[in-house]
């Protein structure tokens, strides 16, 4: 079933719909998953549309592009209530809610220059534990330094 | 008594109150053996001290503790004296050295170095200082000194003075004290206050604390004055260091305003933050603190490495 806000942007034939994005965050999400528009796929963005759950929300529809697990984890960081719809032949064949994982490995860089993960020769992957699911704060597993949502956005967008 | 057997000591956050009290009990038993003939509790065991940064007290007291317990010591005292100077990584060093010893005591400039070493090594790793992050065994010996000198820890007014931002001993001490019922006051220049994550942790634990810029205001109330030097080597910007250098000093005249039975502690080395004339004051306890450090490290090493039966026998015979 489609609701009225989804009808504001046309349906896609095959691809992914990211719904329930907090309003104003759609462009950040596109940057995070490295969709620039230059890939040639149709990308539809609706911002600040009405939402029963969120009041206002953003929606992204991307044709011929499916998201990887790491990308879903990243989306969860700034859109913890987002739903991902997989579309085939105009039908939603799968609907998943993003879920904030307990830890992030290798995606983000610790901001502490003295952290062992920033010693190039060690070739060590970063590891962050989710410290606060509401404020969206991460803590470096190795050096304990906190990473706030503003720091995460700066790094990923 | 056996809660640390075969375990790493990476962060003071891995300790609860009960475990800290267990270490204190072991340290107390070791006081009898810390000066004199010692014990054979760790005979045949080898401890490797890997010090990538300078140290006097931590390294020597760990080594002395191991010898007093009948064990042996191998290691190096600077990165230049090891294959790290040839480009070897910490990971490769740990994976090599673990084959030569029963435990590793590591000091490294990187924050998280001890955690990485503990992940890699099959023998226990003891963090002897990880950059500006933590120095858990220093916190244990600091609180053991308080307990031995004042008879208790709960209910005390504790003032921590100095570089709270880069002082690793402060970070571990604050976390350890959060397990006790104490009142904490912090005295530091505004730019050297506690890091956000530590403040956040204290608030979450419901620990109350206050900041002061001038120690004179609070010194008459304090039972413990814990002083740390400004950690010159950790400042990313030398200009920032010059701005705060010499911004606080504990002098004999200042101590005249303190309680007669308060104690002054310092993890040492000191630079100029405690003037030399304070040393003769009865409140100055920073040298006896180094002795308690030896006893605490003997207790800790025996809890981690000793044969359980031997340890049990020693503990019961000491009661």
């Amino acid at each position: 079933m489609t609701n009225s806000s989804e009808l504001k942007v046309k349906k896609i034939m095959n691809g992914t719909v990211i719904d329930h994005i907090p309003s104003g965050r759609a462009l950040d999400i596109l940057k995070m998953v490295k969709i620039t528009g230059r890939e040639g796929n149709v990308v539809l963005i609706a911002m600040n549309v009405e939402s029963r759950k969120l009041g206002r929300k953003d929606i992204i529809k991307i044709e011929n592009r499916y998201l990887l697990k790491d990308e879903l984890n990243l989306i969860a960081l700034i859109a913890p209530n987002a739903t991902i719809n997989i579309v085939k032949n105009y039908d939603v064949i799968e609907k998943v809610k993003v879920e904030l994982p307990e830890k992030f490995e290798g995606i983000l860089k610790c901001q502490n220059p003295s952290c062992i993960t920033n010693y190039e020769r060690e070739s060590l992957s970063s590891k962050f534990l989710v410290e606060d699911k509401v404020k969206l704060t991460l803590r470096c597993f190795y050096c304990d330094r906190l990473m706030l949502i503003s720091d995460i956005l700066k790094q990923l967008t | 008594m056996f809660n640390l057997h075969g375990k790493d000591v990476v962060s003071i956050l891995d300790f609860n109150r009960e475990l800290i009290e267990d270490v204190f009990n072991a340290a107390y038993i070791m006081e009898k053996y810390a000066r004199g003939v010692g014990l054979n509790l760790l005979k045949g065991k080898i401890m490797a001290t890997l010090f990538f940064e300078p140290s006097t007290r931590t390294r020597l007291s760990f080594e002395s503790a191991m010898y007093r317990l009948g064990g042996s010591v191998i290691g190096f005292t600077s990165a230049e004296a090891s294959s790290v100077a040839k480009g070897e990584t910490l990971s490769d060093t740990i994976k090599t050295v673990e084959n030569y010893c029963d435990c590793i005591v590591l000091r490294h400039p990187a924050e998280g170095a001890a955690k990485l070493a503990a992940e890699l090594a099959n023998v226990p790793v003891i963090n002897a200082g990880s950059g500006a992050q933590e120095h858990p065994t220093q916190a244990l010996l600091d609180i053991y000194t308080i307990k031995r000198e004042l008879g208790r820890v709960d209910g005390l007014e504790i003032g921590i003075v100095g570089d709270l931002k880069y002082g690793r001993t402060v970070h571990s001490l604050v976390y350890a004290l959060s397990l006790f019922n104490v009142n904490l006051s912090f005295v530091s220049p505004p730019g050297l206050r506690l890091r956000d994550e530590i403040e956040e942790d204290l608030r979450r634990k419901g620990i109350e604390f206050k900041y002061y810029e001038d120690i004179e205001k609070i010194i008459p109330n304090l039972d413990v004055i814990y002083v740390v030097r400004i950690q010159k080597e950790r400042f990313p910007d030398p200009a920032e260091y010059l701005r705060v250098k010499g911004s606080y000093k504990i002098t004999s005249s200042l101590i005249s305003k303190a309680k007669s039975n308060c104690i002054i502690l310092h993890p040492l080395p000191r630079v100029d933050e405690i003037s030399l004339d304070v040393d003769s004051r009865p409140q100055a306890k920073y040298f006896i603190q180094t002795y308690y450090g030896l006893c605490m490290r003997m207790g800790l090493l025996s809890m981690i490495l000793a044969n359980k039966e031997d340890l049990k026998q020693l503990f019961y015979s000491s009661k």
Side-chain angles (χ1 to χ4, degrees):
Chain A
M1 202 173 85
T2 49
N3 62 35
S4 61
S5 61
E6 271 182 283
L7 292 174
K8 286 197 166 86
V9 281
K10 83 175 204 142
K11 283 185 163 192
I12 54 170
M13 189 176 163
N14 294 303
T16 306
V17 176
I18 310 170
D19 198 0
H20 300 113
I21 302 167
S23 72
R25 290 284 191 213
L27 296 178
D28 289 333
I29 286 188
L30 286 175
K31 278 187 193 163
M32 271 175 140
V33 297
K34 297 191 169 48
I35 291 173
T36 62
R38 290 187 289 277
E39 299 83 6
N41 297 323
V42 171
V43 180
L44 303 167
I45 306 167
M47 295 178 82
N48 298 315
V49 295
E50 275 177 37
S51 158
R52 257 179 301 166
K53 255 200 227 168
L54 303 173
R56 296 268 171 189
K57 68 175 180 179
D58 291 358
I59 305 169
I60 301 170
K61 300 186 178 191
I62 320 152
E63 261 192 340
N64 302 319
R65 171 75 148 84
Y66 303 95
L67 298 169
L68 303 168
K69 194 163 183 294
D70 276 353
E71 291 176 319
L72 294 179
N73 290 343
L74 285 178
I75 291 171
L77 268 175
I78 58 170
N81 297 312
T83 44
I84 310 292
N85 301 312
I86 312 293
V87 179
K88 287 257 163 84
N89 289 322
Y90 296 105
D91 285 330
V92 174
I93 58 151
E94 199 185 339
K95 196 170 190 141
V96 283
K97 271 189 78 69
V98 295
E99 211 178 321
L100 204 57
E102 295 296 315
K103 63 182 174 190
F104 284 84
E105 279 186 73
I107 306 163
L108 297 154
K109 186 176 151 63
C110 181
Q111 297 183 111
N112 176 5
S114 303
C115 177
I116 189 75
T117 58
N118 288 324
Y119 275 53
E120 240 174 71
R121 283 218 311 262
E122 297 296 331
S123 304
L124 182 64
S125 276
S126 68
K127 202 190 284 183
F128 290 90
L129 305 179
V130 176
E131 169 94 358
D132 189 324
K133 284 193 174 187
V134 180
K135 287 188 197 158
L136 297 170
T137 310
L138 306 181
R139 184 184 285 257
C140 174
F141 170 78
Y142 290 101
C143 78
D144 295 320
R145 201 63 71 89
L146 292 181
M147 197 177 230
L148 309 176
I149 184 66
S150 52
D151 306 320
I152 297 165
L153 283 174
K154 232 183 273 170
Q155 214 176 96
L156 294 174
T157 61
Chain B
M1 177 192 336
F2 303 128
N3 289 343
L4 277 176
H5 187 76
K7 297 268 174 67
D8 303 307
V9 175
V10 169
S11 167
I12 200 73
L13 291 168
D14 299 332
F15 284 71
N16 57 25
R17 173 83 183 247
E18 193 191 345
L19 189 53
I20 289 181
E21 300 284 0
D22 280 352
V23 175
F24 291 174
N25 289 337
Y28 188 66
I29 290 168
M30 293 301 165
E31 284 192 24
K32 207 176 358 175
Y33 307 101
R35 285 180 174 139
V37 289
L39 286 162
N40 275 325
L41 201 59
L42 299 187
K43 193 174 177 193
K45 302 275 185 189
I46 298 174
M47 176 183 79
T49 49
L50 310 187
F51 277 63
F52 292 81
E53 280 190 326
S55 165
T56 298
R57 274 150 294 275
T58 306
R59 185 175 62 81
L60 292 180
S61 68
F62 262 114
E63 292 185 357
S64 174
M66 194 61 183
Y67 286 126
R68 291 277 193 223
L69 291 165
S72 311
V73 179
I74 57 171
F76 53 79
T77 57
S78 70
E80 291 72 36
S82 73
S83 284
V84 172
K86 299 177 194 162
E88 187 164 56
T89 61
L90 173 66
S91 306
D92 285 0
T93 308
I94 296 295
K95 284 188 264 184
T96 302
V97 172
E98 67 162 340
N99 297 305
Y100 307 148
C101 63
D102 300 289
C103 83
I104 293 172
V105 177
L106 175 72
R107 171 169 288 188
H108 196 278
E111 296 178 30
K115 236 178 208 179
L116 172 65
E119 272 190 325
L120 295 171
N122 290 311
V123 296
V125 171
I126 302 175
N127 182 3
S130 47
Q133 186 187 18
E134 272 219 58
H135 193 349
T137 63
Q138 179 70 44
L140 292 170
L141 80 87
D142 294 337
I143 302 177
Y144 184 61
T145 306
I146 295 171
K147 189 169 180 177
R148 291 290 286 114
E149 288 296 319
L150 295 175
R152 67 193 168 104
V153 181
D154 290 314
L156 296 177
E157 292 278 345
I158 299 179
I160 303 182
V161 185
D163 183 348
L164 313 176
K165 187 177 177 182
Y166 297 112
R168 58 186 169 204
T169 64
V170 172
H171 302 153
S172 294
L173 179 61
V174 163
Y175 282 136
L177 285 173
S178 71
L179 298 170
F180 293 82
N181 181 22
V182 295
N183 287 326
L184 286 174
S185 301
F186 298 122
V187 185
S188 78
L192 294 180
R193 289 185 170 189
L194 284 176
R195 291 176 175 191
D196 292 346
E197 57 268 21
I198 296 174
E199 279 191 5
E200 182 78 23
D201 287 339
L202 289 181
R203 283 196 195 99
R204 197 176 308 139
K205 287 179 174 187
I207 309 294
E208 285 185 22
F209 58 92
K210 278 185 184 163
Y211 280 109
Y212 298 88
E213 278 181 44
D214 185 0
I215 190 174
E216 269 199 82
K217 280 187 187 158
I218 55 159
I219 204 162
N221 306 325
L222 297 177
D223 299 301
V224 179
I225 304 165
Y226 188 91
V227 190
V228 283
R229 78 182 162 90
I230 294 181
Q231 311 285 308
K232 184 182 176 185
E233 67 279 19
R234 311 262 177 240
F235 279 71
D237 178 6
E240 192 195 346
Y241 169 71
L242 290 173
R243 266 197 299 278
V244 290
K245 183 182 167 226
S247 55
Y248 55 92
K249 189 162 195 165
I250 306 297
T251 60
S252 194
S253 65
L254 186 66
I255 294 304
S256 311
K257 295 171 188 156
K259 287 181 185 174
S260 60
N261 61 344
C262 81
I263 59 170
I264 306 162
L265 303 182
H266 193 306
L268 302 176
R270 74 172 143 183
V271 182
D272 55 6
E273 57 283 346
I274 299 181
S275 56
L276 297 179
D277 56 7
V278 176
D279 295 2
S280 54
R281 290 272 185 170
Q283 295 102 323
K285 299 293 181 194
Y286 28 89
F287 291 114
I288 188 79
Q289 190 180 352
T290 63
Y291 164 70
Y292 290 128
L294 170 65
C295 306
M296 191 285 299
R297 287 182 174 124
M298 284 176 74
L300 194 72
L301 286 172
S302 52
M303 286 173 77
I304 295 170
L305 292 174
N307 172 290
K308 286 185 179 179
E309 274 309 307
D310 294 346
L311 191 63
K312 206 158 121 187
Q313 212 175 349
L314 176 73
F315 276 37
Y316 288 129
S317 66
S318 303
K319 276 192 175 172

